Amino acid sequence: MTAAPATLGLIGFGALGRQIAAEMGPREARWLVLTRHGARELPAHVAPVDDLAALIAARPVAVVEVAGAAAVAAHAPALLEAAIPMVLASVGALADDRLAAQLEAASAASGAQLVRPAGAVGGLDYLAAIAHLPDARLRYTSRKPPAAWAEELALRGLDATAHAVVLFEGSAEDAARRFPRNLNAGLTLASACRPAPLAVRVVADPAATGNTHEIEAESAAGIALLRFVNAPSPVNPKTSLVTALSLVTALRALLAQGRPR
C-alpha cells in the first residue's frame, strides 16, 4: 500500500522553497506555505496559509524554513513549542545567542527536533572529531563570483571584476550577522567544530566558477583540505543548487523516524 503524502509546512516560497517543493512532489508531500508575498502561482500540491496560527492548527508533520533569519525568529519558537519539528535553512539566525537558546529550550521542552542540515558543505564529522584537540586550527573561506555580492560590493565602492576582493575576515558568528542570507555555511561549520574556533573569510572572486567553500583544518590528527564548488541556483546566485537537496535529505531522514505525535 502506498503511503499517503505527508502534510508539511514551508516558510518562504522563493527560489529555494520552489526547488524543495519540486523535489518532493504530490506523491510524497502536500505543502502548506506561509510567505509574506502571499499566494503566487502555486503548484497543485502547494497551498497557502494565512498566518502562523493557521499553519500550527494544520499540524504539519514538520516545517522547513527558507525565508531568512527574521523568519526563524518570528516563527520557529512557536512551532517548536507546538511540538512541530523544524528544518532550518537560515542557520545563520543562530548567531543570535538569545534566539539559539530559546529554540533549544523549546525543542527540549516539546521534544520536537530542530534540524540544522549541512547545506552547501560537508566534512562535518571530521571537524567534530578533531574539535577537542588543543592544537586544532580551522579556517573557512566562502568564495563566490562577484554577481553574488553585487550589492555588498556596490555599497563599499569596490570592484571585483579584475581581481578577488576580500569582503570580510573574522568569526563565523560575526560573518553570519553581517551576511545573514549568505553565510549559513560558516555557522554550520562553526557549530560542528566547537569548541575549536573557526576563522572565516568572505571573498568575491571573478575566477570563481561557482559558489566555492574551502575548509582548512590542521591538528595533531593531520591536515584536511576540503573544497566544494557548488553550482549556483539559476534563480538566485547567492544560493547553491545543492542547498535545497541537503534540506530535502534532512527532511526525509526526519520523516523516516516516524511522526512524533
Side-chain angles (χ1 to χ4, degrees), residues 211-256:
N211 295 340
T212 304
H213 306 272
E214 300 167 351
I215 305 164
E216 303 165 66
E218 185 174 353
S219 71
I223 297 173
L225 302 174
L226 305 173
R227 189 168 186 261
F228 303 89
V229 183
N230 297 328
S233 164
V235 179
N236 180 5
K238 293 185 178 182
T239 300
S240 297
L241 193 62
V242 73
T243 300
L245 303 179
S246 176
L247 289 164
V248 168
T249 298
L251 179 57
R252 285 176 174 152
L254 181 64
L255 296 178

Side-chain angles (χ1 to χ4, degrees), residues 4-218:
T7 298
L8 301 170
L10 192 57
I11 299 175
F13 205 65
L16 192 53
R18 289 181 179 275
Q19 188 183 352
I20 290 170
E23 287 290 327
M24 296 184 68
R27 293 187 177 183
E28 189 173 4
R30 183 177 74 90
W31 292 97
L32 302 174
V33 62
L34 175 63
T35 172
R36 66 177 182 273
H37 299 298
R40 309 174 298 163
E41 300 179 7
L42 298 177
H45 68 303
V46 178
V49 291
D50 294 331
D51 52 31
L52 179 61
L55 180 59
I56 291 174
R59 303 305 299 170
V61 178
V63 171
V64 182
E65 170 278 318
V66 290
V72 177
H75 305 305
L79 286 162
L80 291 171
E81 288 167 3
I84 298 174
M86 287 203 69
V87 178
L88 296 187
S90 305
V91 179
L94 302 181
D96 181 334
D97 292 337
R98 181 177 297 180
L99 176 61
Q102 182 183 12
L103 297 184
E104 291 293 345
S107 173
S110 69
Q113 289 190 50
L114 177 64
V115 181
R116 291 166 280 192
V121 294
L124 304 187
D125 53 346
Y126 182 93
L127 299 182
I130 68 168
H132 292 274
L133 296 177
D135 65 338
R137 294 189 300 276
L138 304 104
R139 184 167 78 164
Y140 163 63
T141 299
S142 171
R143 191 181 302 275
K144 297 182 182 181
W149 298 109
E151 183 178 345
E152 289 79 8
L153 289 166
L155 285 173
R156 292 164 173 77
L158 298 173
D159 182 4
T161 57
H163 55 82
V165 172
V166 177
L167 291 171
F168 173 86
E169 286 187 279
S171 71
E173 290 75 16
D174 285 344
R177 282 189 282 267
R178 292 195 187 195
F179 310 105
R181 300 189 69 85
N182 307 316
L183 265 296
N184 292 308
L187 200 63
T188 296
L189 292 169
S191 297
C193 71
R194 286 193 181 107
L198 177 72
V200 172
R201 186 170 59 153
V202 179
V203 181
D205 188 349
T209 57
N211 295 340
T212 304
H213 306 272
E214 300 167 351
I215 305 164
E216 303 165 66
E218 185 174 353

